[in-house]
Amino acid sequence: MPTPLVFIDGDQGTTGLQIHARLGHRPDLRLLSLPEAERKDPQRRAEALNSCDIAILCLPDAAAREAVAALRNPAVRVIDASSAHRTDPQWVYGLPELGAAQSQRIAQAQRVSNPGCYPTGAIALLQPLVQAGLLPDDYPVVIHAVSGYSGGGRAAVQAHEAPGPDQTPPAFQLYGLQLAHKHPPEIQLHAGLQHRPLFVPAYGHYRQGIVLTVPLHLRLLAPGVTAGHLHAALQAHYANATEVELMPLADSAQTATLDPQALNGSNRLRLGAFENPAHGQVLLCAVFDNLGKGASGAAVQNLDLMLGHAAPDRLVA
């Protein structure tokens, strides 16, 4: 069997560079790259797209749609890291941990849409609880999340790492204040919610890593549900998930802080549930690398499924 040829369209962007770093030394595939002078040439890009086995699109939404439209070779399979197709029913959602059969769907798919960084954590926390009937699907979900500035792309990296003489990068920056961020429809659909969640994102003055939290009032859940029930449902759902770890409830009780950078460089996703029984409140949390499980690591995980094998976690220096 010929060695699969993989073309990363947009390999000079933040996600593309990380994917290239994860795949560059692997003997089980070949990487197709275009010279710098040809990267924006529509004809050369179309030729590359149609000559590869699997294309990974690391492009803005509009450019990703154009790339898909340029495909003429029906044998080419696609992983789209943009948000262009994440709610499209003709694309398989690239979160293997979504359910028992999702890995198989990804493995057999022609078109896979990589999840967004924030939705990865939110859906991983919410979907198993909705599915188990512990979290009502009409719950008024509120999601708070803080990411490293690399989540803002090249412009944000430049502003934080090489600011101009009169620029001072903010230590903390809340954004999406018009509540029109592109991620809520993705979260709503794949978490199985009836209503659009309220999503409050922010950037911190560090390069990468996410802490995402979802506060819950026990009085609004199914009768008798406790943090223990929520934790047990997550534990059952992720029992065989190689990239997800669940903090024991006992550890949560002893944990005072969460470090958003704790899993940087990996494809790991750490989930937890914090509780205050006296107040009837639970805080669900997710920690992961926005450039790892939130982007490039997830793309490589999906690529490995499409190639017919699951590769071990690969750390990026």
Side-chain angles (χ1 to χ4, degrees):
M1 179 179 177
T3 304
L5 182 63
V6 177
F7 173 49
I8 306 171
D9 193 0
D11 62 357
Q12 294 305 301
T14 305
T15 298
L17 287 170
Q18 291 263 330
I19 294 174
H20 200 285
R22 290 170 181 261
L23 299 179
H25 302 292
R26 286 182 48 171
D28 61 325
L29 51 81
R30 296 172 292 145
L31 289 181
L32 171 60
S33 296
L34 292 178
E36 185 173 356
E38 298 179 359
R39 286 175 187 147
K40 295 185 178 181
D41 182 329
Q43 182 175 344
R44 285 294 295 118
R45 286 182 57 230
E47 290 172 358
L49 282 166
N50 284 282
S51 66
C52 68
D53 295 298
I54 299 179
I56 304 177
L57 309 181
C58 302
L59 304 166
D61 288 6
R65 293 188 184 98
E66 291 174 2
V68 173
L71 285 170
R72 298 290 180 265
N73 182 352
V76 175
R77 305 170 77 190
V78 180
I79 298 171
D80 182 10
S82 83
S83 62
H85 301 100
R86 290 174 184 161
T87 59
D88 188 330
Q90 297 184 36
W91 288 64
V92 174
Y93 193 59
L95 185 60
E97 296 83 6
L98 201 60
Q102 195 67 11
S103 291
Q104 191 62 28
R105 293 191 189 101
I106 295 168
Q108 297 174 350
Q110 284 294 113
R111 302 287 184 265
V112 174
S113 183
N114 225 45
C117 56
Y118 294 125
T120 294
I123 294 165
L125 289 168
L126 295 167
Q127 187 259 0
L129 304 182
V130 173
Q131 193 176 58
L134 300 177
L135 181 70
D137 60 7
D138 63 349
Y139 190 96
V141 171
V142 177
I143 301 162
H144 297 268
V146 182
S147 171
Y149 55 75
S150 60
R154 277 198 214 177
V157 172
Q158 172 76 18
H160 281 264
E161 296 184 357
D166 299 323
Q167 294 178 319
T168 301
F172 182 85
Q173 187 174 28
L174 204 67
Y175 68 102
L177 299 180
Q178 285 70 44
L179 306 179
H181 198 283
K182 64 183 179 181
H183 285 326
E186 177 185 351
I187 296 171
Q188 179 183 343
L189 175 65
H190 297 293
L193 301 173
Q194 284 192 34
H195 307 295
R196 179 187 178 99
L198 198 159
F199 175 54
V200 186
Y203 291 135
H205 185 49
Y206 62 96
R207 193 172 199 280
Q208 63 196 82
I210 286 177
V211 165
L212 180 144
T213 58
V214 181
L216 299 176
H217 294 279
L218 291 176
R219 60 184 171 81
L220 299 180
L221 304 186
V225 170
T226 66
H229 293 119
L230 300 175
H231 188 275
L234 292 172
Q235 191 169 43
H237 186 88
Y238 295 112
N240 298 313
T242 60
E243 304 296 347
V244 180
E245 58 186 78
L246 183 63
M247 295 174 59
L249 271 179
D251 289 359
S252 299
Q254 304 301 318
T255 300
T257 62
L258 291 174
D259 179 5
Q261 304 177 85
L263 297 179
N264 280 0
S266 80
N267 194 45
R268 303 289 294 167
L269 173 63
R270 181 177 296 154
L271 307 178
F274 296 81
E275 64 173 330
N276 188 311
H279 299 321
Q281 296 173 334
V282 173
L283 185 68
L284 304 177
C285 67
V287 177
F288 55 106
D289 184 356
N290 59 290
L291 299 181
K293 184 61 173 167
S296 62
V300 173
Q301 185 179 0
N302 288 325
L303 174 67
D304 280 319
L305 288 169
M306 295 168 77
L307 292 175
H309 58 272
D313 198 25
R314 288 179 172 83
L315 298 182
V316 177

